[in-house]
Amino acid sequence: EEAGKGIKCSLCTKMLEKLKEMAGEDPDQEAVEAALDKGCQALGRRLSRVCKKLVKKFREKLMAALQNGDEPRDTCTAIRLCKA
């Protein structure tokens, strides 16, 4: 169980770093939506499936995090994919 958590955490962090990069500095809502819609594809097939699931499930939280420029790790901890 512990090991699985670690994978989810690093995956989430990697995914959010990519989304953040795509959204750019100080993104508006449109930029964030575009990053959420296109960002998963940029992660490759295996990750994109998981990414899409997470985006669907946590869309509001992820949008807020990207707009606020939160650290990927903090966001993943907030949605409980990383341990605090």
Side-chain angles (χ1 to χ4, degrees):
E1 176 55 39
E2 286 306 304
K5 266 270 192 285
I7 292 167
K8 274 198 181 131
C9 178
S10 66
L11 186 89
C12 177
T13 310
K14 204 180 280 169
M15 172 187 135
L16 265 146
E17 278 163 4
K18 188 78 191 166
L19 293 176
K20 207 175 163 178
E21 199 179 290
M22 290 185 79
E25 282 297 311
D26 198 24
D28 58 13
Q29 191 167 346
E30 259 169 65
V32 169
E33 299 234 8
L36 288 180
D37 292 335
K38 296 195 188 79
C40 290
Q41 287 154 350
L43 291 166
R45 200 168 5 186
R46 205 169 54 100
L47 289 184
S48 81
R49 209 178 303 138
V50 184
C51 176
K52 284 190 178 119
K53 235 184 244 168
L54 291 176
V55 167
K56 209 181 214 148
K57 192 171 177 188
F58 299 113
R59 194 172 184 98
E60 297 301 312
K61 284 194 173 114
L62 294 176
M63 282 190 69
L66 288 170
Q67 281 182 298
N68 297 337
D70 296 346
E71 281 306 308
R73 174 84 200 210
D74 295 341
T75 307
C76 294
T77 303
I79 59 178
R80 298 215 170 92
L81 290 176
C82 293
K83 284 201 168 62

